[in-house]
């Protein structure tokens, strides 16, 4: 077994490799990397959470268990074929789902997923505590963070209350399966409303607000720490070597920011997946943090990130394509859709959309907001509506970038995810944001970032800049420069979109207050 000790270089060890486990909402992926970032093997296990009409979204923990075992078996087999030893397992994952377990680690119910909205009423009830919660946790009460889910379970599942030993998120659950240990890191802690963001510890007052006991939570570590080693039983089941370290690299979005290269103030990472996740690095918690923004711990030790979310990106695009482009064939012809959009390049759509299919997140939380299509005439066709929808998604992202500018001057963005795979969409984003955009050919930003976290933490890289250069320096990067004349037009359209939202939803709030 290889001895990972800081100060002992493994640069010359040609057979050393890292197994990265990257757990998303709709799939789990495993990658075997050499320490220089060369991918030796990879595999994916797909799954889908169960969605109910009342807003509940659940997933069986057994799905993750089985996916983990299958991935580890496949990667173990591949490592043998390539004569590469697996020397560490590194985990990055979705951040806010909740799995209550008993003292043996057995789940007591299906996981309540991060998109689940059954905690909406509890969040409304807790809004009177917003000043305290925001000051200490870095975010106002919202349905995405996990503390209110735990509170919902305590309140609505009394038959489980005495059996609950720990509340786990997905990475904590998987790390326990591999190591038999309970542990987490501060990137996940900062997504609970239960951790003091400055002290980076569970907070007594916040625990009291949500009715959760400290002993029900995992011990907090820094991202990059070793949380345990692979047990004999997990090794026997999967072929992963017994005794190798298991490292928590931090949340998938934090790792994606590092994997894209956004580790300095003035830069942002933008992951355009099911939703849109924006990250802006910060050396400290901003003193003038707006209540509509989120401050989390970064996977870079001691660093923070200001975060913003757009709840629907690819999901809104897919909804439109499924309903207006796929009726004849049943599947999306992305090349044809790109051609449609290329025909409108440089044209600002006359239609206007509010892209809030599942509510609004930052820069102004509103779970009751819904999508609206307006400005439609008899000349409006499906491609113009598609262009208007994409413009709206990107203008909402621009709303959040403008909020970031209150803390640092944003000059560049690194992008990845489903809506970054099209040149015409990337150019549209650059035009709307008014800054340079950089897109790297590698789409595995979270996994690459997790590898960098492990290397820096183990002392195998001195800094993230050098780690990025060694791992990603040779990859092709496309740069998109904004056309400033179009940017000015989009700024005017963004004002109209925001006015449309305010007229619809702020007036509704005013009316409710008067009734």
């Amino acid at each position: 077994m290889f001895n990972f000790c800081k100060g002992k270089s493994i640069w010359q060890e040609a057979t050393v490799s890292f197994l990265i486990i990257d757990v998303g909402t709709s799939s789990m992926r495993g990658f075997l990397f050499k320490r220089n970032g060369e991918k030796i093997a990879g595999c994916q296990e797909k799954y889908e959470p169960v969605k109910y009409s009342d807003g509940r979204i659940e997933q069986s923990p057994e799905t993750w268990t089985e996916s983990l075992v299958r991935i580890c078996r496949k990667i173990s087999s591949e490592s043998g074929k390539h004569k590469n030893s697996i020397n560490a397992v590194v985990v990055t994952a979705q951040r806010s789902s909740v799995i209550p377990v008993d003292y043996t680690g057995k789940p007591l119910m299906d996981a309540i997923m991060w998109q689940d909205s059954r905690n909406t009423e509890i969040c409304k009830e807790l809004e009177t505590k917003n000043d305290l919660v925001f000051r200490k946790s870095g975010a106002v009460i919202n349905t995405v963070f996990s503390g209110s889910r735990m509170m919902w379970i305590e309140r609505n599942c009394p038959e489980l209350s005495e059996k609950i030993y720990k509340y786990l998120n997905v990475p904590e659950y998987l790390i326990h399966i591999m190591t038999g240990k309970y542990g987490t890191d501060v990137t996940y802690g900062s997504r609970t409303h239960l951790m003091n963001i400055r002290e980076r510890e569970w907070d007594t007052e916040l625990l009291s607000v949500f009715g959760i006991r400290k002993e029900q939570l995992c011990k907090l570590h820094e991202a990059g720490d070793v949380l345990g080693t692979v047990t004999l039983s997990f090794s026997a089941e999967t072929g992963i070597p017994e005794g190798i370290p298991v490292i928590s690299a931090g949340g998938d979005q934090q790792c994606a920011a590092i994997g894209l290269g956004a580790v300095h103030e003035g830069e942002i990472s933008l992951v355009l997946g099911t939703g849109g996740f924006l990250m802006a690095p910060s050396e400290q918690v901003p003193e003038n943090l707006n209540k509509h923004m989120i401050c989390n711990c970064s996977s870079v030790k001691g660093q923070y990130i200001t975060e913003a979310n757009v709840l629907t990106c690819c999901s809104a695009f897919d909804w439109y394509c499924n309903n207006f482009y796929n009726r004849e064939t049943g599947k999306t012809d992305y090349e044809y859709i790109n051609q449609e959009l290329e025909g409108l390049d440089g044209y600002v759509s006359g239609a206007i959309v509010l892209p809030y299919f599942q509510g609004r997140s930052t820069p102004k939380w509103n779970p009751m907001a819904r999508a609206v299509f307006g400005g439609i005439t008899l000349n409006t066709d499906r491609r113009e509506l598609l262009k208007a929808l994409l413009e709206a998604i990107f203008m909402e992202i621009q709303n959040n970038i403008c909020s970031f500018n209150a803390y640092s001057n944003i000059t560049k963005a690194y992008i990845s995810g489903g809506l970054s795979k099209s040149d015409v969409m990337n150019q549209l984003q650059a035009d709307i944001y008014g800054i340079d955009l950089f897109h790297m050919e590698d789409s595995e930003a979270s996994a690459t970032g997790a590898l960098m976290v492990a290397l820096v933490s183990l002392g195998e890289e001195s800094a993230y800049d050098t780690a990025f250069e060694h791992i990603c320096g040779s990859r092709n990067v496309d740069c998109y420069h904004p056309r400033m004349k179009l940017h000015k037009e989009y700024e005017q359209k963004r004002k109209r979109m925001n006015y449309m939202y305010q007229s619809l939803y702020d007036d509704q709030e005013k009316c409710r207050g008067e009734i």
Side-chain angles (χ1 to χ4, degrees), residues 133 135-138 184-207 214 217-222 225 297 304:
V133 173
R135 175 169 51 84
K136 291 204 161 193
S137 76
T184 193
D185 71 57
V186 292
T187 68
Y188 299 111
S190 60
R191 300 290 294 185
T192 63
H193 280 137
L194 304 175
M195 191 190 85
N196 188 304
I197 192 74
R198 293 172 180 82
E199 296 178 3
R200 302 164 88 92
E201 294 288 349
W202 300 124
D203 186 271
T204 301
E205 279 189 280
L206 294 175
L207 291 168
K214 182 178 178 179
L217 305 173
C218 294
K219 182 180 178 181
L220 286 163
H221 299 260
E222 288 294 326
D225 283 358
C297 291
Y304 294 89

Side-chain angles (χ1 to χ4, degrees), residues 54-183:
D54 61 358
R56 291 177 297 135
I57 303 178
E58 300 177 350
Q59 186 154 316
S60 168
E62 192 65 24
T63 302
W64 290 307
T65 305
E66 293 170 354
S67 296
L68 177 67
V69 169
R70 284 194 291 266
I71 285 173
C72 287
R73 284 175 179 167
K74 290 176 185 176
I75 296 295
S76 177
S77 175
E78 287 295 315
S79 71
K81 292 177 184 177
H82 293 275
K83 297 182 180 179
N84 279 85
S85 59
I86 300 175
N87 297 92
V89 181
V90 186
V91 180
T92 181
Q94 54 162 290
R95 301 170 292 175
S96 303
S97 302
V98 172
I99 311 167
V101 300
D102 65 16
Y103 74 97
T104 69
K106 179 182 177 182
L108 295 169
M109 62 184 292
D110 284 347
I112 302 178
M113 296 295 287
W114 64 269
Q115 317 100 305
D116 188 288
S117 60
R118 73 185 70 185
N119 54 347
T120 298
E121 290 304 316
I122 284 177
C123 288
K124 288 180 180 178
E125 174 189 323
L126 292 174
E127 283 179 356
T128 57
K129 304 289 186 180
N130 253 336
D131 288 345
L132 169 69
V133 173
F134 174 74
R135 175 169 51 84
K136 291 204 161 193
S137 76
V140 296
I141 300 291
N142 64 77
T143 58
V144 174
F145 281 27
S146 57
S148 55
R149 287 193 187 84
M150 301 176 198
M151 188 175 186
W152 186 93
I153 293 170
E154 291 285 330
R155 184 177 291 183
N156 292 278
C157 306
E159 72 283 1
L160 299 182
S161 185
E162 292 185 3
K163 300 178 184 178
I164 295 173
Y165 179 66
K166 296 285 184 186
Y167 283 108
L168 304 181
N169 61 25
V170 179
E172 293 160 7
Y173 174 70
L174 296 178
I175 288 170
H176 181 261
I177 289 172
M178 288 187 278
T179 69
K181 305 290 186 182
Y182 290 108

Side-chain angles (χ1 to χ4, degrees), residues 207-274:
L207 291 168
S208 177
V209 167
F210 290 89
I212 304 301
R213 303 190 308 276
K214 182 178 178 179
E215 57 268 26
Q216 292 178 306
L217 305 173
C218 294
K219 182 180 178 181
L220 286 163
H221 299 260
E222 288 294 326
D225 283 358
V226 175
L227 300 191
T229 58
V230 170
T231 62
L232 174 61
S233 59
F234 189 76
S235 176
E237 189 174 13
T238 63
I240 302 299
E242 179 193 0
I244 65 170
V246 177
I247 297 167
S248 179
D252 53 0
Q253 301 305 324
Q254 279 93 333
C255 286
I258 293 170
L260 291 171
V263 294
H264 301 293
E265 290 192 6
E267 304 170 342
I268 62 169
S269 68
L270 173 55
V271 180
L272 298 156
T274 302

Side-chain angles (χ1 to χ4, degrees), residues 7 16 18 58 85 133 175 201 207-208 259 346-347 387 405 416-417 423 454 456 509:
V16 167
F18 295 77
E58 300 177 350
S85 59
V133 173
I175 288 170
E201 294 288 349
L207 291 168
S208 177
Y347 167 76
K387 178 77 180 287
N405 279 322
S416 69
D423 283 337
V456 173
E509 286 293 324

